[in-house]
Amino acid sequence: MRQQLITDAVLVRNYMDGDESALSILIHRHKQRIYSFIYSKVFDRDITEDIFQDAFIKVIKNLKLGKYNEEGKFLPWVMRISHNLVIDHFRKNNRMPKFDNSGEFSIFSVLGDNALNAEKQLIKDQVECDLRRIIEELPEDQKEVLVMRMYKDMSFKEISERTGVSINTALGRMRYALINLRKVIDKNNIILTN
């Protein structure tokens, strides 16, 4: 049987059953897309290679620990891991101030570093995009209250009047919305900090 005919799901199962070559096929099959995705964020081949390797180390650990639930979504799962590692990379590097090493330290060399600001903006945009996507998965009543409170800065009294429910009901919906968001974030190992 040719490699292309074997689905990702079968290869994952084979790998989890001890067939090491199945992982090689998966890596070979998806390397270009994952590598290109990482490179499009970091624009550095060495860093891309490091993150790519780290992603597959995480994949291997999760598979060996049985933390992967097969839903036919191997590639999106690896892309999510890669995405989180890219954010981790930027976050780690942002802790270290960047400045030109001309001998004298100047706070203005740090404040004026556009690359640093571009990285922060990339992370901020990605966090906002991830959060909007997760919010869309909430039940309609919870989503409505959360959007009114967080994005429209409405009080629970205003939300109560707008939706026609009691303040306690609005508070309850908000509470459940936050609980459900936290579950999705934890389940998918999503990092929502910038």
Side-chain angles (χ1 to χ4, degrees):
M1 184 184 281
R2 293 196 347 250
Q3 288 179 359
Q4 293 306 99
L5 299 179
I6 303 173
T7 64
D8 288 354
V10 170
L11 289 168
V12 168
R13 198 171 331 108
N14 290 350
Y15 176 72
M16 291 172 82
D17 290 340
D19 178 6
E20 297 290 327
S21 67
L23 184 67
S24 298
I25 296 168
L26 281 167
I27 292 171
H28 181 73
R29 181 179 291 175
H30 298 297
K31 179 173 182 166
Q32 191 56 50
R33 284 183 68 188
I34 297 164
Y35 192 92
S36 297
F37 168 77
I38 297 167
Y39 186 80
S40 74
K41 306 293 183 215
V42 299
F43 302 109
D44 181 296
R45 293 205 183 282
D46 292 334
I47 294 170
T48 299
E49 193 61 43
D50 288 347
I51 292 173
F52 180 83
Q53 288 177 8
D54 288 347
F56 272 93
I57 288 169
K58 269 196 155 177
V59 165
I60 290 166
K61 280 183 185 172
N62 284 320
L63 290 175
K64 294 227 184 249
L65 292 171
K67 287 187 177 179
Y68 174 70
N69 298 331
E70 176 51 54
E71 297 166 4
K73 297 180 179 175
F74 178 78
L75 180 60
W77 178 60
V78 178
M79 293 293 245
R80 168 61 54 201
I81 290 171
S82 302
H83 167 261
N84 288 342
L85 288 170
V86 167
I87 290 178
D88 288 347
H89 161 75
F90 285 137
R91 193 175 296 123
K92 255 185 271 179
N93 288 338
N94 285 344
R95 288 189 193 130
M96 299 300 291
K98 296 179 182 180
F99 58 92
D100 67 5
N101 198 7
S102 59
E104 284 188 39
F105 175 75
S106 165
I107 190 66
F108 297 106
S109 64
V110 176
L111 294 175
D113 188 341
N114 290 332
L116 187 69
N117 294 335
E119 290 170 2
K120 283 185 176 175
Q121 189 60 47
L122 172 73
I123 293 168
K124 184 175 183 284
D125 292 347
Q126 191 60 54
V127 165
E128 288 172 3
C129 177
D130 288 346
L131 190 55
R132 278 194 300 273
R133 199 182 73 248
I134 296 168
I135 289 171
E136 282 303 313
E137 295 178 20
L138 289 173
E140 201 56 44
D141 58 344
Q142 294 173 19
K143 178 172 48 173
E144 180 183 37
V145 170
L146 185 115
V147 167
M148 287 180 185
R149 180 77 181 125
M150 303 307 289
Y151 292 102
K152 297 181 180 174
D153 207 27
M154 294 172 67
S155 69
F156 283 105
K157 185 175 190 281
E158 292 169 322
I159 294 170
S160 165
E161 291 166 359
R162 175 79 56 89
T163 58
V165 298
S166 71
I167 291 176
N168 283 341
T169 300
L171 284 165
R173 289 178 181 174
M174 182 69 177
R175 180 174 174 269
Y176 284 116
L178 294 173
I179 289 169
N180 288 330
L181 282 177
R182 197 168 294 125
K183 282 180 188 171
V184 173
I185 289 166
D186 291 344
K187 179 181 169 208
N188 295 301
N189 294 321
I190 298 171
I191 300 169
L192 290 177
T193 57
N194 59 359

